[in-house]
Amino acid sequence: MEEKEISQAVISRLPRYFRYLGELKDGGTERISSQELSEIMKVTASQIRQDFNNFGGFGQQGYGYNVEFLYTEIGKILGLHKKHHLVLIGAGNLGQAIANYMNFEKRGFIINGIFDINKDLIGKRVRDIPVRPMEELESFVKEHNVDIGVLAIPKEAAADVAKRLVKCGIHAIWNFAHMDLNVPKDVLVENVHLSDSLMKLSYNINRCGKPEDHK
Ligand code: NAI
């Protein structure tokens, strides 16, 4: 398939398509029209067609989309056909919750190592992965094929740890610390802030009022 620049807006919708198509596939649906998908996903059929056209279509006139094929192709676009190796920094509440969430692994995101500075945590296991001291970070990353660093540490520590990750060759950071990281241009950072999502919800409540206000 020819590579072309895809807008971030389209990319941000792909995981949702992937999820729905996965459910359809698991439920035995072999093909689906953009209209049917639109009804299930509550987005317009033209949006779906436009999004898929970015990747050369996938659909056939009069047939619709082959669910398994579409699922596989979107998975490839999202890079989910390859395994990703992660190190998780911070084995506190959030770090342990991330490490315990098995679904990441099903998608090919393998947590190889967990690191922390807290001596009480070092040596403990989270889902059978030992928590290692930060002194071992560089050698561990070099030995394992790590491509993603996950930051679940206080924001005060995030800049330094990000710098260490980049220095040992990691080019992708999944950042949960509430801090914008200043990294070289070739390093990808994906910030995840649950509070941003909650604030969006708060905005919508504020703008639209509570459901009972409309009765
Ligand atoms: P926590 O205090 O339970 O865990 C933090 C862990 O980081 C501790 O085990 C601590 O020893 C370790 N740590 C501190 N400095 C370190 C360093 N330099 N190197 C390695 N490990 C270090 O805190 P919690 O609740 O797990 O939160 C972790 C971070 O995630 C915080 O920055 C918090 O604000 C953020 N957070 C972000 C969310 C989001 O949606 N983005 C949601 C919840 C928390």
Side-chain angles (χ1 to χ4, degrees):
M1 198 183 306
E2 199 186 318
E3 292 263 337
K4 70 173 200 175
E5 192 72 31
I6 311 293
S7 79
Q8 285 297 319
V10 176
I11 292 165
S12 68
R13 286 193 286 271
L14 292 184
R16 188 157 178 263
Y17 288 128
F18 186 75
R19 239 180 327 113
Y20 271 85
L21 289 162
E23 281 167 20
L24 286 165
K25 180 179 75 67
D26 293 345
T29 306
E30 285 176 16
R31 64 167 147 156
I32 192 158
S33 67
S34 50
Q35 191 54 45
E36 287 166 317
L37 194 54
S38 129
E39 278 156 26
I40 299 170
M41 293 187 63
K42 312 269 184 283
V43 285
T44 64
S46 82
Q47 168 93 82
I48 290 173
R49 284 192 296 268
Q50 259 178 41
D51 284 348
F52 294 168
N53 278 342
N54 279 286
F55 314 104
F58 301 140
Q60 280 170 38
Q61 200 76 35
Y63 176 87
Y65 299 103
N66 178 304
V67 170
E68 177 140 25
F69 176 74
L70 191 52
Y71 173 81
T72 307
E73 289 304 308
I74 292 180
K76 281 190 209 160
I77 293 161
L78 289 170
L80 300 177
H81 57 307
K82 299 178 199 150
K83 283 211 179 343
H84 293 283
H85 297 274
L86 285 68
V87 281
L88 170 65
I89 320 296
N93 292 310
L94 181 63
Q96 293 194 29
I98 293 171
N100 277 316
Y101 186 57
M102 298 286 286
N103 259 11
F104 296 139
E105 209 139 286
K106 279 194 219 143
R107 294 268 180 260
F109 297 96
I110 317 293
I111 298 179
N112 286 106
I114 304 179
F115 293 83
D116 205 290
I117 48 167
N118 182 343
K119 289 197 169 48
D120 294 336
L121 289 173
I122 291 163
K124 294 220 161 104
R125 287 176 175 264
V126 185
R127 202 163 51 78
D128 223 26
I129 309 164
V131 179
R132 298 170 193 273
M134 283 300 281
E135 292 73 27
E136 291 178 12
L137 179 69
E138 280 77 6
S139 58
F140 186 92
V141 167
K142 270 183 203 128
E143 271 166 37
H144 298 77
N145 211 5
V146 176
D147 52 353
I148 301 177
V150 186
L151 295 185
I153 51 178
K155 66 175 183 183
E156 295 74 21
D160 282 349
V161 172
K163 212 185 262 176
R164 279 177 71 176
L165 290 173
V166 171
K167 214 167 163 196
C168 55
I170 289 183
H171 284 270
I173 297 177
W174 199 27
N175 176 37
F176 288 85
H178 295 295
M179 137 135 216
D180 292 329
L181 299 172
N182 192 4
V183 291
K185 276 202 186 73
D186 60 341
V187 176
L188 302 166
V189 177
E190 181 66 30
N191 295 306
V192 187
H193 300 311
L194 297 179
S195 50
D196 288 5
S197 171
L198 204 51
M199 281 189 263
K200 229 161 86 186
L201 183 63
S202 161
Y203 166 80
N204 285 323
I205 294 170
N206 210 29
R207 196 178 55 126
C208 307
K210 287 182 252 133
E212 57 265 31
D213 294 343
H214 296 285
K215 280 182 188 158

